[in-house]
Amino acid sequence: MGTQDITIAAATHPRWGQLVSGEMQPSYACLALKLMMIRIRHQHDRDPARRADLIAEVRRFFVANLRFAAPDYRAIFQEQAA
């Protein structure tokens, strides 16, 4: 299964908020994503008002790196979401 079948969810999808807040803590196959998510959750804990910026950062990561982060994206969303 390639990445061409994946449409990255809109920033308004509730799953992004669950990720940045730490409400959802999946296991990540991609080390870069794992490290980024540790930092993102800490930033969210310090300043929840930055939530939208943090969501945008995580979403941009997937847009830019879907080639190697697709398995993590699929595990997080488990279905295509617009």
Side-chain angles (χ1 to χ4, degrees):
M1 199 185 266
T3 59
Q4 63 273 13
D5 64 317
I6 296 176
T7 301
I8 302 295
T12 56
H13 192 290
R15 189 67 48 96
W16 295 119
Q18 294 168 348
L19 284 173
V20 302
S21 70
E23 180 182 335
M24 178 184 194
Q25 296 185 20
S27 297
Y28 299 109
C30 174
L31 180 59
L33 177 59
K34 182 177 186 171
L35 295 172
M36 181 184 74
M37 290 309 300
I38 290 168
R39 177 182 55 78
I40 292 285
R41 281 193 305 272
H42 286 296
Q43 287 179 326
H44 183 271
D45 289 347
R46 283 194 310 266
D47 188 4
R50 292 195 56 220
R51 183 182 187 103
D53 293 335
L54 298 172
I55 288 171
E57 182 178 348
V58 175
R59 189 175 184 280
R60 279 192 309 269
F61 175 88
F62 280 105
V63 169
N65 301 293
L66 191 58
R67 182 174 42 103
F68 62 84
D72 286 316
Y73 183 84
R74 284 188 183 102
I76 292 164
F77 283 89
Q78 296 182 11
E79 60 190 40
Q80 297 305 307

